[in-house]
Amino acid sequence: MRADQVTLFLCGDVMLGRGVDQILPYPGDPALREMCFRDARAYVELAEAVNGRIPRPVDFSWPWGEALPVLEEAAPDARVVNLETSVTRSNEFAPGKSVHYRMNPANIPCLAAVRPDACVLANNHVLDFGRLGLEESLDALAGAGLWAVGAGRDADEARRPAVVTAGGGRILIFSFGMESSGIPPGWAAAPDRSGVDFVPALSDARAAEVVGRVRRVKGPGDIAVVSVHWGSNWGYHLAREQVRFAHALVDGGVDVVHGHSSHHPRPVEVYRGRLILYGSGDFVDDYEGIAGYEEYRDDLRLLYLVSMEPGSGRLTELRMVPMQARRMRLHHAGNDDSEWLRAVLNRISRDFGSHVDRDPGGALTLRRT
């Protein structure tokens, strides 16, 4: 870490429930209500059928694998993960949903192993076990000393940013989600109701509301990060309204737009010197062995290291470390797989003026054209 820059670790969806929960030291109730499987251990068996036996129980650091030494070396000033899992023992499955993720609260040391400064909760799985499940999740995170952002016991708490001191100022981390990612509108937090910070539309008015909230908190020297769960799971196309919304956030003072929901990376853009990740892809999950959408290579993941000028928030460097999920653990991706990711990012980001190279250490680096 250089003294003349502030560095963030960002990643996409972290799903520590279902199959991942079952290999950890304290597996919770494996019951599911899915069309194909009624037992979460089936996802462990799928992964083992593809990549070999997974020891059980694994230690709490297992799912993060080789990502942890990368983070130790990079020493980022702040670490932000999108925790797409309810941390609860509840059996109150949310109605109308085909997939539910829950992690036994006793396995919270697995999340703590990556030392997140902010756990983003404004997503379409945090209320998979209802508002009581959300309450238990918030209590479990607080009990582990982890900062939840994007969901809360009321609207004020859901909208409150996480704050990290770095580079002579603060890093402010806001989080909200949208219906396009699968968040039911009924999950929205209200003055007298728990839930997520829900933004109902990609409109100029809604962007202005978010910007207004950021400006009320952001002071001189602060860096503002907006982490947003939006868009579909698959595909590289971006609606013009989504791009316009992201640009409006930056125009209003947001320094990093951290998008997620897609199961694979989406285009990368630098707009007015600020980074926009339209989709960060998955990071930790139990998806090995699930058929369909193979063309998107969901087994390949990116660890994002975003460096900025202290005080201004202007991007100085983006390094993306290619990882691959095998046996529910992150490993460094091989040369061919890293080249595949680089080619895809170049193809889908070309219209945004972004080009990706590889540095001698194998990381992907952003170059603006």
Side-chain angles (χ1 to χ4, degrees):
M1 182 178 65
R2 288 167 31 190
D4 61 344
Q5 63 186 17
V6 172
T7 299
L8 305 177
F9 157 57
L10 303 176
C11 68
D13 301 345
V14 171
M15 301 173 172
L16 298 177
R18 209 167 63 176
V20 177
D21 184 62
Q22 293 302 304
I23 67 173
L24 292 173
Y26 304 104
D29 185 345
L32 300 175
R33 295 184 182 177
E34 299 180 5
M35 184 177 296
C36 295
F37 296 123
R38 296 287 173 161
D39 191 309
R41 290 168 291 194
Y43 287 95
V44 182
E45 294 169 2
L46 278 180
E48 290 180 324
V50 173
N51 288 317
R53 185 179 176 277
I54 301 170
R56 280 175 265 177
V58 299
D59 60 57
F60 288 121
S61 66
W62 175 276
W64 307 103
E66 294 176 356
L68 292 180
V70 172
L71 289 172
E72 287 305 301
E73 182 179 357
D77 297 281
R79 306 180 182 205
V80 182
V81 303
N82 173 46
L83 179 62
E84 206 165 4
T85 300
S86 184
V87 187
T88 180
R89 295 180 179 87
S90 172
N91 286 313
E92 296 298 320
F93 289 77
K97 294 194 89 250
S98 59
V99 176
H100 301 79
Y101 287 102
R102 64 179 163 183
M103 168 189 179
N104 187 344
N107 284 327
I108 200 78
C110 178
L111 177 61
V114 80
R115 306 206 314 270
D117 294 283
C119 298
V120 171
L121 301 185
N123 56 58
N124 60 312
H125 287 292
V126 73
L127 271 84
D128 277 356
F129 291 86
R131 286 185 159 84
L132 288 178
L134 172 61
E135 293 268 351
E136 189 175 3
S137 300
L138 294 170
D139 288 343
L141 292 170
L146 302 177
W147 200 320
V149 60
R153 293 170 179 81
D154 55 35
D156 285 343
E157 185 177 333
R159 292 179 173 182
R160 191 174 301 142
V163 182
V164 180
T165 302
R170 301 180 301 170
I171 302 170
L172 309 173
I173 302 148
F174 299 80
S175 165
F176 66 85
M178 309 193 80
E179 188 174 5
S180 58
S181 70
I183 301 175
W187 285 14
D192 58 350
R193 182 182 67 197
S194 64
V196 303
D197 185 5
F198 182 79
V199 173
L202 287 168
S203 66
D204 293 343
R206 296 299 182 180
E209 287 179 9
V210 174
V211 164
R213 285 195 265 140
V214 172
R215 286 178 171 174
R216 282 193 289 273
V217 181
K218 186 180 182 185
D222 291 342
I223 292 172
V225 180
V226 168
S227 190
V228 51
H229 204 61
W230 60 358
S232 61
N233 290 153
W234 305 102
Y236 298 115
H237 174 73
L238 297 174
R240 275 182 289 182
E241 293 82 5
Q242 191 174 5
V243 176
R244 181 174 175 175
F245 193 97
H247 287 184
L249 295 182
V250 173
D251 290 339
V254 172
D255 299 297
V256 179
V257 178
H258 171 217
H260 35 80
S261 178
S262 57
H263 292 318
H264 54 81
R266 282 193 166 132
V268 177
E269 181 181 19
V270 179
Y271 172 71
R272 298 185 61 184
R274 271 68 181 176
L275 178 67
I276 301 173
L277 300 175
Y278 286 100
S280 303
D282 291 334
F283 200 58
V284 175
D285 60 30
D286 62 357
Y287 286 3
E288 290 171 73
I290 299 176
Y293 301 101
E294 284 84 355
E295 69 268 30
Y296 294 106
R297 292 296 309 273
D298 173 64
D299 60 313
L300 300 180
R301 317 290 166 83
L302 287 174
L303 185 160
Y304 297 85
L305 294 167
V306 183
S307 297
M308 296 162 286
E309 294 177 352
S312 77
R314 184 172 293 275
L315 183 71
T316 58
E317 182 183 51
L318 172 62
R319 294 179 64 239
M320 298 168 281
V321 181
M323 313 295 292
Q324 185 177 38
R326 297 197 306 274
R327 300 166 66 227
M328 294 192 186
R329 187 172 187 268
L330 291 174
H331 302 260
H332 285 289
N335 286 335
D336 290 346
D337 291 327
S338 296
E339 278 299 314
W340 186 90
L341 272 172
R342 187 179 73 88
V344 168
L345 286 170
N346 280 330
R347 174 170 56 84
I348 65 177
S349 303
R350 184 181 302 118
D351 290 345
F352 294 94
S354 298
H355 182 83
V356 174
D357 296 318
R358 281 185 75 193
D359 68 21
L364 307 182
T365 58
L366 182 66
R367 173 167 56 86
R368 282 162 275 176
T369 59

